[in-house]
Amino acid sequence: MATTKWTIDPTHSEVGFKVKHMMFTNVSGQFDTYDATITTEDFDFLTSKIEFSADIDSINTGNSDRDNHLKSADFFDAEKNPKLTFVSSSLVKKGEDHELTGELTINGITKTVKLDTEVSGLLKDPWGNTKVGLNATGKINRTDFGLTWNSALETGGVLVSEEVKLNIELQFLQQ
């Protein structure tokens, strides 16, 4: 069996999230700088190892004040923890799709997470490059990673939900 390495195509990928704000609307954001690789045996993605990292300083919610607050010690503490990372432990078929399991590290805290994942088939682009796409979605609790800052609302509830919804679209290029 031959080892195949896949590198991310950042121009056709995005790493996004959503968090409820004031208990009734979602604030969306993304990481603008990230890297990911997949290593497979031949083209068997069920045996793959997926590694991902995102630069905390690249967080982008469309509001610089909020972004700076997220980078502060109240949340990600980008000075001490400049990256979040994910290393897969398994990718298993579940019905038509897959479940990706791995170790997610945020704010220096590592937890096992499971993400519903759609794996596209192998495709050749117009220039003859072999590509594969992954779409991973899931939810994490931000307080599990020490991101506990919040503010109570006068009407009850809190300013920022503990639940974070992830939507990750990655396209990879065979090396």
Side-chain angles (χ1 to χ4, degrees):
M1 290 205 291
T3 299
T4 304
K5 187 167 182 173
W6 303 81
T7 57
I8 195 163
D9 177 352
T11 61
H12 297 103
S13 300
E14 59 186 49
V15 179
F17 60 88
K18 287 186 179 184
V19 179
K20 283 260 191 236
H21 180 256
M22 294 184 60
M23 309 302 292
F24 62 88
T25 59
N26 284 307
V27 170
S28 297
Q30 64 189 31
F31 290 94
D32 292 334
T33 305
Y34 47 87
D35 191 32
T37 59
I38 301 176
T39 305
T40 62
E41 294 301 322
D42 294 318
F43 294 100
D44 182 2
F45 285 86
L46 295 179
T47 65
S48 65
K49 179 171 187 173
I50 301 169
E51 296 180 294
F52 171 84
S53 67
D55 293 341
I56 299 300
D57 273 337
S58 76
I59 199 164
N60 180 356
T61 64
N63 178 295
S64 61
D65 289 339
R66 179 174 43 231
D67 295 346
N68 288 333
H69 190 202
L70 289 169
K71 295 173 194 178
S72 77
D74 282 347
F75 286 96
F76 287 102
D77 200 357
E79 194 171 305
K80 284 185 185 174
N81 303 293
K83 292 187 181 289
L84 66 81
T85 62
F86 175 84
V87 178
S88 70
S89 56
S90 69
L91 178 67
V92 296
K93 188 93 169 130
K94 286 191 91 173
E96 294 293 314
D97 290 319
H98 297 80
E99 181 177 74
L100 177 63
T101 302
E103 300 299 310
L104 177 63
T105 302
I106 300 174
N107 203 27
I109 299 170
T110 302
K111 299 284 183 184
T112 301
V113 298
K114 294 181 182 216
L115 302 171
D116 294 328
T117 304
E118 180 182 330
V119 180
S120 73
L122 299 176
L123 300 169
K124 289 244 187 228
D125 69 15
W127 300 274
N129 300 303
T130 302
K131 293 192 168 187
V132 66
L134 297 180
N135 169 250
T137 59
K139 298 175 186 176
I140 61 171
N141 185 317
R142 67 184 179 88
T143 63
D144 290 345
F145 297 93
L147 307 175
T148 58
W149 182 92
N150 225 329
S151 182
L153 300 173
E154 284 181 28
T155 56
V158 291
L159 188 63
V160 182
S161 172
E162 291 181 4
E163 181 180 270
V164 179
K165 295 177 184 175
L166 306 174
N167 186 25
I168 303 163
E169 298 272 356
L170 303 175
Q171 191 174 114
F172 289 89
L173 172 68
Q174 179 186 358
Q175 296 302 293

Coordinates of all heavy atoms in Angstrom, one line a residue, residues 9 51 56 58 75 100 104 108 134 154 174:
D9 N -6.7 23.1 -0.1 CA -6.8 24.1 -1.1 C -7.6 25.3 -0.4 O -8.8 25.3 -0.3 CB -7.6 23.6 -2.3 CG -7.8 24.7 -3.3 OD1 -7.5 25.9 -3.1 OD2 -8.3 24.4 -4.4
E51 N -5.2 16.1 10.0 CA -4.7 17.1 11.0 C -5.1 18.5 10.5 O -5.0 18.8 9.3 CB -3.2 17.0 11.1 CG -2.7 15.6 11.6 CD -1.2 15.5 11.7 OE1 -0.6 15.5 10.6 OE2 -0.7 15.4 12.9
I56 N -5.7 31.5 15.8 CA -6.7 32.3 16.6 C -6.7 33.7 16.2 O -7.8 34.3 16.1 CB -6.4 32.1 18.1 CG1 -6.5 30.7 18.5 CG2 -7.4 33.0 18.9 CD1 -7.9 30.0 18.3
S58 N -6.7 34.9 13.5 CA -7.4 35.1 12.2 C -8.9 35.0 12.4 O -9.6 35.1 11.4 CB -6.9 34.1 11.2 OG -7.4 32.8 11.4
F75 N -11.6 34.8 26.3 CA -12.0 33.7 25.4 C -10.8 32.8 25.1 O -10.4 32.0 25.9 CB -12.8 34.2 24.2 CG -14.2 34.7 24.5 CD1 -14.4 36.0 24.7 CD2 -15.2 33.8 24.5 CE1 -15.7 36.5 24.9 CE2 -16.5 34.2 24.8 CZ -16.8 35.6 25.0
L100 N -16.5 11.6 11.8 CA -15.1 11.9 12.1 C -14.9 12.1 13.6 O -15.6 13.0 14.1 CB -14.7 13.1 11.3 CG -13.3 13.6 11.4 CD1 -12.3 12.6 11.0 CD2 -13.1 14.9 10.7
L104 N -9.8 17.6 19.7 CA -9.8 19.0 19.4 C -9.2 19.7 20.6 O -9.6 19.5 21.8 CB -11.3 19.5 19.2 CG -11.5 21.0 19.0 CD1 -10.8 21.5 17.7 CD2 -13.0 21.3 19.0
G108 N -5.7 25.4 25.0 CA -4.8 24.5 25.8 C -5.6 23.3 26.4 O -5.0 22.5 27.1
L134 N -14.3 17.5 2.0 CA -14.9 17.1 3.3 C -15.8 18.3 3.8 O -15.4 19.4 3.8 CB -13.8 16.9 4.3 CG -12.8 15.8 4.1 CD1 -11.9 15.7 5.3 CD2 -13.5 14.4 4.0
E154 N -30.8 41.1 31.6 CA -31.8 41.6 32.5 C -33.1 40.7 32.4 O -33.8 40.5 33.4 CB -32.2 43.0 32.2 CG -31.2 44.0 32.6 CD -31.7 45.5 32.3 OE1 -32.9 45.7 32.3 OE2 -30.8 46.3 32.1
Q174 N -4.5 16.2 -4.0 CA -3.5 15.1 -3.9 C -2.1 15.6 -4.2 O -1.9 16.2 -5.2 CB -3.9 13.9 -4.8 CG -2.9 12.8 -4.7 CD -3.2 11.7 -5.8 OE1 -4.2 11.8 -6.5 NE2 -2.4 10.7 -5.8

